[in-house]
Amino acid sequence: MIAWINPDDPRLFSAGAHPCLAPLTQSWAALHRPGAPVECWLAVAEEEGPARGTVCRVGNGTVIASLPPEDWEEGAAFLRMIGFAALETNLPPSFFPELEATEFAAMICPHLISQPPVGPEVEVLPAQEWEPHLNVGTFSTLQCRWGALPGEARDGFLSTSLLRQRQGLGQSFFFLLGGEPVALSAASPLGHTWGTVGAVAVDPKHQGRGLGRLAAWHAARFIKEQDKVPVLCCVPPLAKLYRPLGFEEIQPVYRYVAKG
């Protein structure tokens, strides 16, 4: 059964059907506020019982669904019923043959390497120390130059990232060479078990030097220090970048949009 809940329902933070998707739904619920409403549902065996999975929808119609296999059939029907502009889920393409699917590698890191990987000598700053030098326009320009974040995230990443940090929900890191930012990463250690490594981006002029792996390691270490297990999603060819850090591949994540 899939039942509606308030975004502050504590069961949302104990449901972990998929390690990479569950922290994302929990992150969205934590940011729920009047100007940015979030709707949440739980997959449960009985109405007041423990959660087996989660569904979360934001105002632009994007839905995240983290469901166990026993709820996939009901979950697919429920997702069609509520509708979505885009869907990220662990349900495989056989449930949505009419949609265009993009597969992402999902990875967990049960044992992070103890020392940072070999790379250039960089200055590492948490976002709070770099914030006075940034504004949304400047940061958007950097993101456009990097081309590493989706277009719809460019304007919102900075403000959302800093809001999460002020609420104690995560940390972002900037990596500087010669005083100029060349890479970034972010960590969101939400929920009881998992923490998400995200927004790993490297200036194209400096790619191929190990900066992406170094940025991911710092975010993963921050999560490990919170006694959580780091998880991440990436395009499949990039999985090899993270394996030397201790990441292992698990069930893929899919992003669905309408064909054409």
Side-chain angles (χ1 to χ4, degrees), residues 162-183:
L162 295 175
L163 173 64
R164 289 154 70 108
Q165 291 153 37
R166 292 176 185 133
Q167 293 177 330
L169 302 176
Q171 180 63 277
S172 294
F173 299 94
F174 290 88
F175 301 83
L176 279 62
L177 277 175
E180 291 294 323
V182 295

Side-chain angles (χ1 to χ4, degrees), residues 109-115 216-217 220-222 224 230 245-247:
C109 185
H111 305 290
L112 181 70
I113 61 174
S114 60
Q115 298 297 318
W217 182 85
R221 184 181 66 167
F222 180 85
K224 293 287 284 187
L245 302 179
F247 282 87

Side-chain angles (χ1 to χ4, degrees), residues 197-222:
V197 174
V200 177
V202 178
D203 187 326
K205 298 194 303 293
H206 296 277
Q207 289 176 355
R209 303 176 62 186
L211 286 166
R213 188 175 292 151
L214 181 65
W217 182 85
H218 278 273
R221 184 181 66 167
F222 180 85

Side-chain angles (χ1 to χ4, degrees), residues 55-73:
V55 176
C56 195
R57 180 172 64 183
V58 293
N60 67 359
T62 300
V63 172
I64 303 291
S66 171
L67 298 170
E70 59 266 31
D71 289 314
W72 282 358
E73 186 170 347

